[in-house]
């Protein structure tokens, strides 16, 4: 069975290491430290899911998701925010870009795996995550 590919985008090396080591057990995981790096990575190898931080230098998560949605080859890739930003205005501003979820860091392991599996199952309905 081919492992699902998850791209984790975060400017924090600590977060990237911990999320990658957590997910490596069940998925093929690649990482990017900037939105621009994420787009380039996605154009080379389209992932099955992107876990995206909101607060990053240069392009924030919203800008990164806007850029993904504008690219015909990757616009339909599911994107879930995995971020420390709990501000309702920030959350509302990204909902129009149709992320599949919005989860706060640090994620509870079971909730993260459940949210990812919901995305990968065919009966995924609506926004996943805990705000």
């Amino acid at each position: 069975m081919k492992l699902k590919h998850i791209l984790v985008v975060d400017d924090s090396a600590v977060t990237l290491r911990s999320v990658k080591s957590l997910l490596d057990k069940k998925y093929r995981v690649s990482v990017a430290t900037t939105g621009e790096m994420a787009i380039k990575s996605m154009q080379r190898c389209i992932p099955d899911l992107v876990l995206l931080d909101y607060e990053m230098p240069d392009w924030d998560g919203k800008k990164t998701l806007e850029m993904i949605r504008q690219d015909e080859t990757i616009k339909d890739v599911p994107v879930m925010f995995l971020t420390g930003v709990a501000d309702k205005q920030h959350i509302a501003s990204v909902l129009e870009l149709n992320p599949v979820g919005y989860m706060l860091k640090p994620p509870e392991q079971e909730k993260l795996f459940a949210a990812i599996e919901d995305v990968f199952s065919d009966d995924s309905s609506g926004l996943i995550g805990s705000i």
Side-chain angles (χ1 to χ4, degrees):
M1 183 178 89
K2 186 175 172 238
L3 293 178
K4 294 282 191 184
H5 177 205
I6 298 176
L7 174 62
V8 183
V9 187
D10 201 303
D11 59 318
S12 162
V14 172
T15 298
L16 287 177
R17 268 195 309 275
S18 64
V19 172
K20 184 175 181 0
S21 69
L22 179 68
L23 298 179
D24 262 347
K25 299 169 186 98
K26 286 185 77 173
Y27 308 103
R28 187 165 64 89
V29 181
S30 55
V31 298
T33 55
T34 68
E36 193 171 6
M37 187 187 291
I39 300 287
K40 287 178 180 169
S41 172
M42 291 175 75
Q43 289 167 335
R44 283 192 308 273
C45 179
I46 298 174
D48 297 295
L49 173 65
V50 176
L51 295 180
L52 180 61
D53 187 19
Y54 192 102
E55 287 188 323
M56 297 183 292
D58 299 325
W59 295 1
D60 65 12
K62 182 180 182 198
K63 169 77 171 173
T64 302
L65 185 50
E66 286 170 347
M67 298 303 286
I68 290 169
R69 295 295 185 242
Q70 289 172 15
D71 186 315
E72 280 301 311
T73 59
I74 58 175
K75 69 181 174 98
D76 295 323
V77 173
V79 176
M80 180 186 305
F81 279 91
L82 180 59
T83 181
V85 177
D87 177 82
K88 296 289 186 207
Q89 280 183 309
H90 283 93
I91 296 167
S93 76
V94 299
L95 291 182
E96 67 199 33
L97 298 169
N98 297 319
V100 293
Y102 199 105
M103 188 170 286
L104 296 178
K105 293 191 283 189
E108 290 180 35
Q109 185 173 334
E110 294 85 31
K111 281 187 180 178
L112 180 59
F113 278 114
I116 290 169
E117 287 305 313
D118 279 351
V119 171
F120 292 152
S121 72
D122 293 333
D123 59 352
S124 181
S125 57
L127 192 68
I128 302 161
S130 54
I131 300 174

